[in-house]
Amino acid sequence: VNSPLRKVPGPWYAPLTTLHLRCLFSTGSIWKLVERSHAKYGPIVRLGPRQVWISDKEAMKQILLKIDLPKVAMYSEISRDRFSPGLFGEIREEPHKRLKRFLSPAFATAYVDNLEAYFKDTVRDLLDKYESQVLVDSSRKGIIVDLADDLHNVALDIMGECLFGKGFGQTNPETKTRTERHGVDEKVWASIPRAVFDGLSERYQMVYVKRFLRKLGMDLKFDWPAEMITSIDAVVQRRKRVSECERRDLLQYLIEEGTKPDTGAAMDTRDIIDQLSEMLLAGSETTSGTLGCLFLELARNPEVRSKLLASLPPLSFADEIVSSKAVRKEPQYEYLEACIKENLRLHPIASEMGRCTGKEWVTLMGYDLPPHTVVSASYRDLHRNEQFWPLAQRFWPERWLSEDKRGADPATTSMDAYYPFSGGKHSCIGINFAWAEMRMVAANILSRFEVTEVPGQGVDFRQYITMQFRTGHWKVVLKPRRV
Ligand code: HEM
């Protein structure tokens, strides 16, 4: 009754309990309550005793850029070691700054351009798999594939190639062994993504137990599976032995330059694994989920799809892989670029991001928020606000085109109402990487196939950290385009 948050609009039960929030977080449905609540109460809404969600454009700038609120403590719980986390889980200001400064060169456009060869290997694996299915498709009506699953596997393998020194063999089980297989058990290697994701959910599920035990002076530690450490260590040690650098990838960068952000000591294999695993978490489902939504929008908007396909010359399986650099630079891909931007607006993979007021009072939208208030930045609601995005629910890539190509359609004037990669000091370090991957994967599939949805699939989303197809599956028909 006396809470300083009592003036913030919201449902009657919000001040009383967090039970509904816990339940909705654990079922991945929190975004639905947030969506309904913004629609009913407006851009600021209280959904728990100390929890508010904000989607106001000016307040968003304050949260991310001007006041720059810290991340909620929950982030650090995803790390194996709270005192030596990866970039995503690092919530201490100074170590985060040092770690980000150190990692940034490995995510610059020029560095990512050099990783293209490894992206291409994985895209080729996917096309080879589809080609073998097309060859036995006697009906010529097209092949049915689980695109959500395939995109996820592609994202994992690209991360494997660029971060861990080799792909995880998820995209195409038929792929022949490529590089750096020495001394590594293939089964263990293929299990790394599962181990990383399982580790995350284990740490998440145990978060309240961990906190309770910590109060009693016990620190519950989680480690990666021993065989995973041994396998990655084999790759690291081999690279250290080989005098000539074989691959200029992130792994190499960490081996040569990596120092711990708090002590400055050289990173050992476990530290490297911590960094890479958090990158794998932050960089795989994000990109594959976003690409999944792009294909969903294209499948459900035939006019946009036809226009896009008309802009992409058809290719055969034998043709070269289209590079992401080409998509970035060549005018024929302008409409594809617009589709990707529009998809990032409509489907920001992180629909909300948890921040908190820390030790000070903070005033946002005229409300005084006391210390330790959780403030969720509601990107999804901002991205769908009619005030900034006319016909906001419509997938309308024309918004992003230059004036001469747009005709009478409204231009995008609201770049400050657009945060697909967040903003401020915690903005996405992988933005160039993600763009490169989305460009290459989308251009190569769409240049070769007409993509339509298998009818009768109810698509729903769930969000734990990122927004994903609820079942993890989504089937499409891929019909080769006429070359
Ligand atoms: C379409 C794909 C992607 C989207 C939409 C996306 C979005 C985001 C967003 C919104 C954040 C901010 C999180 C927060 O404020 O709490 C973030 C952070 C981060 N992203 Fe991405 N991301 C994508 C791909 C990637 C990739 C490919 C990588 C790595 C290869 C990556 C690595 C990270 C890391 C390490 C952070 C934490 C940065 C920090 O706290 O300083 N992301 N991402």
Side-chain angles (χ1 to χ4, degrees), residues 64 71 75 86-90 96 100 103 107 159 163 250 275 278-291 344 347-350 352-355 379 419-435 437-438 466:
L64 298 174
K71 282 179 168 180
Y75 278 87
L87 188 64
F88 195 69
E90 181 57 88
H96 174 266
K100 195 143 191 177
L103 287 171
F107 288 94
M159 297 302 270
L163 269 61
L250 194 69
Q275 294 301 326
E278 279 187 35
M279 283 295 168
L280 181 72
L281 287 170
S284 53
E285 280 197 347
T286 40
T287 319
S288 61
T290 305
L291 271 169
L344 285 163
H347 299 283
I349 199 76
E352 58 179 62
M353 285 286 119
R355 299 291 186 263
Y379 303 138
Y419 292 96
F421 294 95
S422 189
K425 68 170 182 258
H426 285 294
S427 66
C428 181
I429 197 172
I431 180 169
N432 296 322
F433 194 110
W435 261 99
E437 185 174 332
M438 290 189 293
T466 60

Side-chain angles (χ1 to χ4, degrees), residues 164-168 180-193 195 224-239 241 251 255 269-270 272-273 276:
F164 290 75
K166 61 197 200 113
F168 297 116
E180 294 215 62
R181 303 272 153 169
H182 324 271
V184 169
D185 180 326
E186 290 304 318
K187 264 200 186 144
V188 173
W189 197 261
S191 72
I192 290 177
W224 306 112
E227 64 273 22
M228 164 177 161
I229 300 176
T230 313
S231 288
I232 298 174
D233 193 48
V235 175
V236 171
Q237 297 311 328
R238 183 174 174 278
R239 286 211 184 184
R241 282 197 306 275
L251 177 62
I255 292 172
T269 300
R270 246 196 192 72
I272 292 176
I273 295 176
L276 297 179

Side-chain angles (χ1 to χ4, degrees), residues 68-276:
D68 191 6
L69 295 181
K71 282 179 168 180
V72 286
M74 193 73 175
Y75 278 87
S76 64
E77 301 290 350
I78 68 161
S79 306
R80 177 187 62 89
D81 179 350
R82 274 187 321 130
F83 299 104
S84 180
L87 188 64
F88 195 69
E90 181 57 88
I91 60 174
R92 298 166 301 171
E93 197 168 336
E94 274 309 310
H96 174 266
K97 204 190 281 177
R98 282 198 288 276
L99 192 54
K100 195 143 191 177
R101 204 180 302 133
F102 158 66
L103 287 171
S104 292
F107 288 94
T109 311
Y111 204 95
V112 173
D113 278 349
N114 283 334
L115 298 175
E116 287 236 331
Y118 311 125
F119 285 42
K120 280 186 181 173
D121 284 344
T122 304
V123 173
R124 178 54 73 193
D125 284 348
L126 181 71
L127 293 179
D128 286 351
K129 183 170 102 163
Y130 289 164
E131 185 177 14
S132 58
Q133 286 172 252
V134 166
L135 287 174
V136 294
D137 172 34
S138 51
S139 74
R140 299 276 175 264
K141 286 187 181 152
I143 55 172
I144 295 182
V145 304
D146 184 341
L147 193 58
D149 196 42
D150 285 346
L151 292 172
H152 185 52
N153 288 331
V154 164
L156 288 175
D157 279 338
I158 287 183
M159 297 302 270
E161 290 286 350
C162 299
L163 269 61
F164 290 75
K166 61 197 200 113
F168 297 116
Q170 315 279 313
T171 306
N172 185 352
E174 303 296 313
T175 303
K176 301 268 178 312
T177 299
R178 269 201 206 96
T179 48
E180 294 215 62
R181 303 272 153 169
H182 324 271
V184 169
D185 180 326
E186 290 304 318
K187 264 200 186 144
V188 173
W189 197 261
S191 72
I192 290 177
R194 196 56 284 141
V196 170
F197 281 93
D198 285 352
L200 166 81
S201 38
E202 192 182 8
R203 291 192 290 274
Y204 237 79
Q205 280 156 11
M206 295 293 281
V207 70
Y208 296 107
V209 179
K210 275 198 294 182
R211 284 183 179 170
F212 176 71
L213 290 178
R214 228 175 267 148
K215 280 187 190 147
L216 302 177
M218 282 180 267
D219 208 357
L220 207 57
K221 292 259 188 221
F222 291 87
D223 207 345
W224 306 112
E227 64 273 22
M228 164 177 161
I229 300 176
T230 313
S231 288
I232 298 174
D233 193 48
V235 175
V236 171
Q237 297 311 328
R238 183 174 174 278
R239 286 211 184 184
K240 284 185 177 167
R241 282 197 306 275
V242 176
S243 51
E244 289 286 296
C245 163
E246 292 170 335
R247 288 161 76 102
R248 274 272 139 234
D249 54 16
L250 194 69
L251 177 62
Q252 193 64 28
Y253 186 69
L254 288 176
I255 292 172
E256 285 175 11
E257 315 273 343
T259 51
K260 288 164 107 116
D262 40 2
T263 61
M267 285 183 180
D268 61 20
T269 300
R270 246 196 192 72
D271 300 320
I272 292 176
I273 295 176
D274 288 342
Q275 294 301 326
L276 297 179

